[in-house]
Structure formats: structure tokens, C-alpha cells
Amino acid sequence: MNNNQNQCDIVQDLLPLYYDHACSLASCQLVEQHLTDCPKCRNTYEQLANNTINTVIKQESKGVLARHAQKEQNAAFKAGVVIAGILLLPIIITFIVSMASGGGLGVFLVVTASMMLVAALTVIPLISSQKRILKCILCSIAALLLIFFFVDAMNGGGEFLYWSIPTLFGLSVVFFPFIIRNITLPPVLSDKKALITMIWDTLWLYLTIFIVCYRSGMAGMKTGSIVAFVLMLGVWLIFLTIRYLPVNSFIKAGISTFLCSIWMIFSNDICTFLIEHKRQLTISHVNFSNWSTDISFNANVYVIILIAGGLISACLIGIGIIKMKKR
């Protein structure tokens, strides 16, 4: 019993050196042989391995970083509250002046909505801990719509939709991808965010055309709808090619380049036919010795685009096919 205990004492004295690979070969063999037969020393070695200085430092570092992040978040929250309080001052002053002068609440509401827009861009990012961009965008758009609504009300009404719908369309083209990326959708729609974005922007484009034409007495509705259809047709074809065509990126790039070339060359002729029922093929007027007339100039440019686009497309598709064969 004493011999076993003495051997355990010796091995446990050697364990730190054994763990750091700082003992002799004979000592290493002694420790390894003893650890095989002694559960107590083996448990001691495992505890030593789990509580090394590197592990302790790593855990301490995580704690320091977490405390620092919490400290910074608290400071940002306090700064956001202070800024929000400062933004309340113009609102309160405007309210008092409006009530004292008997001028109504129109200016007060516009100022309030304007301060909300400023708060959306400054306070929301400071006091939010998650999805800051999403909250900032949504709050800014809501505040902007309130400004339109109150300004429209001050001027007699009737212009809110005319101002807001085109503005929302422009904002959605830029910000809707960020919004939908940060929204959790049902599983059946989680992999269709790009498709939803395209549908959303297309609907808003046609809604913008409708509201603009409706305000002007429906004039130009047919022209606007046809032009939008031809425009979005090219965009949709490129989108479907890039998103859903089961080929590599080089082939997708080649097909997209070819579609862009074809769209640029024939879109104007298609619009002319659909709107004016006039058949024309601009590219048929190509004449590189004559650049003086509009139709010959356009035809010459179209031919150059067609040749360049065809060559680039062929090269990209060829590279893509070679890569597919190698795989």
C-alpha cells in the first residue's frame, strides 16, 4: 500500500512536467504506465488538462469581452436616451407655440414626425441590441410617411398617395433586400426571399405607374404599363437565369450577358410595336459609313453591342462548359 501511495505521490509531482513535455523519457514512460493502472492519478491528470493556464486565460478573456460589450451597450443606451430627450425639446416648444398662437397642430405634427425620423436614424441604433438595421429602416420609413401625411393634411389633402407610393417604391428597391433578409419566414418561404423581393418590387413599380397616371387622368397608363412590362421582362429573365438555372456561374454570366444584349437591342422596337402598332427593326438600318442620322447611329451601336455581347457570352459559356466537363 505504501509503495503504491509513494508511486502516486511521485507521479502526481511529475504530472505538471509531463503535461508540459518537460520531463525525461524515463519519467514519461513511468507516468504513462502508472496512469494506465491508476484511476485516481488519471483523474488528477484530466483535471490538470482541463484547468490549464490557457483555458483559464481564455475563459477570463471571454468574461472581460462580455463585460466590456455590456458596458458599451449600456453607454450607447444612455446616449440614445439623452438624444431622445434633446429631440423632445423642439416638439415641446412647437406644441407650446402652436397652442399659444392658436395656429392648430399642423406644424407641431410635422415637427414631431421630423424628430421621429431623426430619432430613427440616431436613437434606434443606439438603444437596440439586435437587428438594428431592420429597426432603423422600418422606423425611418414610418416617420417619413407620417411627414408626408401631416404635410399633405396641412395643404388640403389629396397628395399623400402620390407622394408616398413612388417614394416607397424607390426605397423598397434599395432597402427591401435588407428587410427581408432579417425577417424570419415560414420554412416553405425561407429559401424564396429573392423571388419575394422581385415580386414585391414589380408590384410596387406597377402601383407607382397606376397612381401617377390616375392623378393625371389615366393618361399614359397604357404606355407606362407597356414600358414597365418590357423593362421587367428583361430583369425577370436575368433573375430567373441567375437564381434557378442549374449550371455554374460562368454559364449563367454568359446567358445573362446575351440576354442583356438582346434586351438593349430590341426593347425599343418591341415598345414601339406594342404602343404604336408600328413594325420596325432598327438593327436592319445598320450602315457603318453613316453615323449622321439617329436611326443609323442607333443601328450601328446595336450591331456593336450584339457582336460584343455575343463574343463575351460565347467565351463565358465555353469556359463554363469546360469547367463542368472537368468536374
Side-chain angles (χ1 to χ4, degrees):
M1 182 70 179
N2 291 333
N3 291 333
N4 291 335
Q5 183 62 43
N6 291 335
Q7 190 175 17
C8 286
D9 292 339
I10 294 172
V11 168
Q12 291 189 13
D13 289 340
L14 291 173
L15 282 179
L17 297 175
Y18 173 76
Y19 181 81
D20 292 331
H21 305 287
C23 57
S24 65
L25 179 61
S27 298
C28 287
Q29 293 175 349
L30 173 65
V31 171
E32 290 173 355
Q33 182 177 2
H34 182 79
L35 291 178
T36 304
D37 301 327
C38 181
K40 178 181 177 182
C41 291
R42 187 164 59 248
N43 182 57
T44 302
Y45 175 73
E46 291 174 355
Q47 292 180 355
L48 176 66
N50 292 330
N51 293 278
T52 60
I53 187 64
N54 292 332
T55 304
V56 173
I57 292 175
K58 185 176 181 180
Q59 293 176 349
E60 288 295 326
S61 299
K62 290 182 179 180
V64 171
L65 292 175
R67 290 191 295 270
H68 178 72
Q70 184 64 39
K71 182 178 179 181
E72 292 294 326
Q73 185 176 350
N74 293 337
F77 183 84
K78 293 177 182 178
V81 172
V82 172
I83 294 175
I86 295 174
L87 294 177
L88 283 175
L89 293 177
I91 298 176
I92 297 172
I93 294 172
T94 306
F95 177 77
I96 295 173
V97 173
S98 298
M99 292 295 97
S101 62
L105 296 177
V107 176
F108 163 72
L109 294 175
V110 172
V111 172
T112 301
S114 301
M115 294 300 102
M116 290 175 60
L117 178 59
V118 177
L121 298 173
T122 56
V123 178
I124 296 298
L126 290 174
I127 65 176
S128 300
S129 58
Q130 297 179 347
K131 297 183 178 181
R132 295 179 180 178
I133 296 178
L134 176 62
K135 294 177 181 178
C136 182
I137 292 173
L138 293 178
C139 292
S140 299
I141 292 175
L144 184 62
L145 292 178
L146 284 177
I147 294 175
F148 287 166
F149 179 79
F150 292 137
V151 172
D152 179 55
M154 288 180 61
N155 290 277
E159 301 291 335
F160 174 69
L161 292 178
Y162 180 71
W163 295 343
S164 60
I165 289 179
T167 302
L168 285 174
F169 168 62
L171 292 175
S172 68
V173 172
V174 178
F175 294 115
F176 189 75
F178 296 98
I179 295 174
I180 197 171
R181 183 180 181 183
N182 290 276
I183 294 177
T184 302
L185 297 178
V188 70
L189 298 175
S190 60
D191 61 340
K192 296 179 176 61
K193 291 185 176 183
L195 180 62
I196 294 173
T197 301
M198 285 294 298
I199 295 174
W200 173 271
D201 290 339
T202 302
L203 292 176
W204 274 99
L205 172 61
Y206 276 95
L207 185 58
T208 300
I209 293 173
F210 173 79
I211 197 66
V212 171
C213 294
Y214 178 80
R215 184 176 179 272
S216 59
M218 303 301 289
M221 175 66 73
K222 177 182 177 182
T223 301
S225 300
I226 290 174
V227 172
F229 169 77
V230 176
L231 170 67
M232 294 307 299
L233 179 62
V235 175
W236 270 97
L237 288 174
I238 294 173
F239 166 74
L240 294 175
T241 299
I242 295 174
R243 184 66 178 84
Y244 295 106
L245 197 64
V247 293
N248 59 42
S249 57
F250 283 96
I251 296 179
K252 290 181 179 180
I255 295 175
S256 300
T257 301
F258 181 73
L259 290 174
C260 287
S261 302
I262 295 299
W263 180 84
M264 292 179 63
I265 293 169
F266 297 107
S267 59
N268 185 60
D269 294 338
I270 295 173
C271 289
T272 301
F273 175 75
L274 295 176
I275 296 171
E276 303 178 4
H277 304 288
K278 179 182 177 182
R279 295 183 179 180
Q280 69 174 30
L281 189 60
T282 304
I283 198 171
S284 63
H285 297 276
V286 60
N287 185 1
F288 288 110
S289 62
N290 181 16
W291 294 78
S292 59
T293 62
D294 292 339
I295 191 168
S296 63
F297 180 87
N298 292 336
N300 295 341
V301 172
Y302 288 165
V303 169
I304 295 173
I305 292 174
L306 181 61
I307 295 173
L311 292 174
I312 295 173
S313 301
C315 291
L316 292 172
I317 293 173
I319 295 173
I321 293 174
I322 293 173
K323 287 185 173 292
M324 288 182 65
K325 289 183 177 181
K326 288 182 177 181
R327 290 182 180 177

